[in-house]
Amino acid sequence: MNVGVAHSEVNPNTRVMNSRGMWLTYALGVGLLHIVLLSIPFFSVPVAWTLTNIIHNLGMYVFLHAVKGTPFETPDQGKARLLTHWEQLDYGVQFTSSRKFFTISPIILVLQIVPTSFSLYMNVLSPTHLPPGQALLSCFSQYFIHV
């Protein structure tokens, strides 16, 4: 390891999600958030999954899509200053492994909540994680499956 040596990246934001152990750290962070929510005595498992989804999706929205610029001083003459982290990720190249991972991870979290509860309360409580037709589909399936 070279301590005190400058990195070769013009913008370190572009490669941070591909760094060693980042995906595992991300998954462990989401798991830890869920465990902390489960440890609150009056939260049931469906409520904990719903809150995990809401907190995760709001946090990732702010981190990836709302905040612009970099926390570093970059020599790119201000090009990264106007870009969100999602736009800077992998130099803007589409369909990379990092982008696929961060696209599929909220979908996997949504699929965790589906088996735990089909109640209308959960779908109304957490609309931030639902694709446009899923709330309607959930209400439809609840009506026709459980009647």
Side-chain angles (χ1 to χ4, degrees):
M1 183 167 104
N2 296 330
V3 178
V5 177
H7 56 80
S8 62
E9 293 288 334
V10 174
N11 181 1
N13 246 6
T14 57
R15 292 288 181 189
V16 71
M17 295 302 179
N18 281 334
S19 63
R20 190 174 185 179
M22 182 60 192
W23 293 1
L24 179 63
T25 304
Y26 171 81
L28 290 175
V30 172
L32 181 66
L33 171 66
H34 183 66
I35 290 171
V36 166
L37 291 173
L38 279 175
S39 68
I40 299 174
F42 54 88
F43 283 170
S44 64
V45 173
V47 171
W49 273 119
T50 301
L51 290 175
T52 302
N53 278 303
I54 290 172
I55 294 168
H56 169 267
N57 290 336
L58 288 176
M60 292 308 284
Y61 171 76
V62 169
F63 176 68
L64 288 177
H65 302 292
V67 177
K68 293 187 176 188
T70 65
F72 315 104
E73 183 68 37
T74 59
D76 64 357
Q77 308 227 339
K79 291 178 186 174
R81 192 182 72 201
L82 302 174
L83 300 175
T84 64
H85 190 78
W86 184 258
E87 294 166 337
Q88 295 175 38
L89 193 62
D90 295 328
Y91 298 103
V93 176
Q94 298 295 320
F95 305 114
T96 60
S97 57
S98 301
R99 285 181 182 251
K100 289 177 185 177
F101 176 77
F102 286 110
T103 301
I104 199 82
S105 60
I107 296 169
I108 292 171
L109 281 175
V110 168
L111 293 177
Q112 293 299 317
I113 198 172
V114 171
T116 58
S117 174
F118 285 104
S119 70
L120 179 62
Y121 169 73
M122 289 299 148
N123 290 328
V124 171
L125 178 66
S126 60
T128 59
H129 77 278
L130 294 175
Q134 187 174 354
L136 180 63
L137 180 64
S138 179
C139 296
F140 178 80
S141 67
Q142 182 182 22
Y143 178 75
F144 287 103
I145 292 173
H146 298 295
V147 170

